[in-house]
Amino acid sequence: RIAWQLLDLQKPFFEEGVAKLRPLTMSQVAEIIGVHETTVSRAIANKYIDTPHGIFEIKYFFTAGYLTEDGQSVSNRSIKDTIQQIVENEDRSKPLSDQAIVELLKKKGFKIARRTVAKYRDELGILPTNLRRAY
């Protein structure tokens, strides 16, 4: 029942990819299927799902989220994916600062603090600006 709810609630992810992952909590799924949140947590522990976009741990689909400027909910994983793409496409001789990444995200409708960008960049294993520079 949990997997069916994931397929229903995260349908845009399965159709279009990580950028369309929606915020979702275990308590939301637990409420829908009529069990306790800890039951969902135990049921998905060490379980994986094969998707058109690769194999993911089921916990991957439970993520916090943000509201975009137009009122849409997006997961923090979507924002991390966007940061990853921004850094991959930057000019290596002039890498972007965290504040510059914040400005680019703002243009895409994400209102994120510079400290949050630094945290996500660190979680993604992306080096700071001075260490990404190629001479």
Side-chain angles (χ1 to χ4, degrees), residues 61-73:
F61 297 96
F62 297 97
T63 178
Y66 294 95
L67 282 177
T68 61
E69 290 180 355
D70 62 0
Q72 233 183 348
S73 290

Side-chain angles (χ1 to χ4, degrees), residues 6-65:
L6 279 178
L7 288 171
D8 185 44
L9 297 169
Q10 296 289 9
K11 189 173 183 174
F13 165 86
F14 293 105
E15 292 175 347
E16 300 178 44
V18 176
K20 297 295 182 177
L21 191 64
R22 294 179 176 163
L24 182 65
T25 63
M26 288 184 205
S27 61
Q28 289 172 311
V29 171
E31 188 176 318
I32 292 169
I33 64 174
V35 297
H36 195 272
E37 181 180 352
T38 57
T39 304
V40 173
S41 179
R42 280 182 269 132
I44 67 170
N46 302 314
K47 305 243 179 12
Y48 295 82
I49 187 167
D50 190 5
T51 74
H53 309 290
I55 297 174
F56 293 90
E57 191 171 14
I58 293 180
K59 285 182 184 179
Y60 180 85
F61 297 96
F62 297 97
T63 178

Side-chain angles (χ1 to χ4, degrees), residues 18-124:
V18 176
K20 297 295 182 177
L21 191 64
R22 294 179 176 163
L24 182 65
T25 63
M26 288 184 205
S27 61
Q28 289 172 311
V29 171
E31 188 176 318
I32 292 169
I33 64 174
V35 297
H36 195 272
E37 181 180 352
T38 57
T39 304
V40 173
S41 179
R42 280 182 269 132
I44 67 170
N46 302 314
K47 305 243 179 12
Y48 295 82
I49 187 167
D50 190 5
T51 74
H53 309 290
I55 297 174
F56 293 90
E57 191 171 14
I58 293 180
K59 285 182 184 179
Y60 180 85
F61 297 96
F62 297 97
T63 178
Y66 294 95
L67 282 177
T68 61
E69 290 180 355
D70 62 0
Q72 233 183 348
S73 290
V74 293
S75 75
N76 61 358
R77 293 192 197 277
S78 297
I79 293 170
K80 287 179 184 180
D81 186 53
T82 303
I83 292 170
Q84 181 82 42
Q85 290 174 5
I86 288 170
V87 171
E88 286 175 359
N89 295 323
E90 73 185 358
D91 180 1
R92 295 288 180 217
S93 64
K94 297 178 186 174
L96 300 168
S97 66
D98 291 342
Q99 187 59 44
I101 293 172
V102 166
E103 296 303 320
L104 287 172
L105 289 171
K106 189 180 283 187
K107 289 178 183 175
K108 294 181 182 228
F110 304 121
K111 186 177 180 185
I112 306 294
R114 185 205 52 81
R115 290 176 62 176
T116 304
V117 168
K119 175 183 157 188
Y120 289 169
R121 179 183 46 73
D122 191 48
E123 288 175 5
L124 292 166

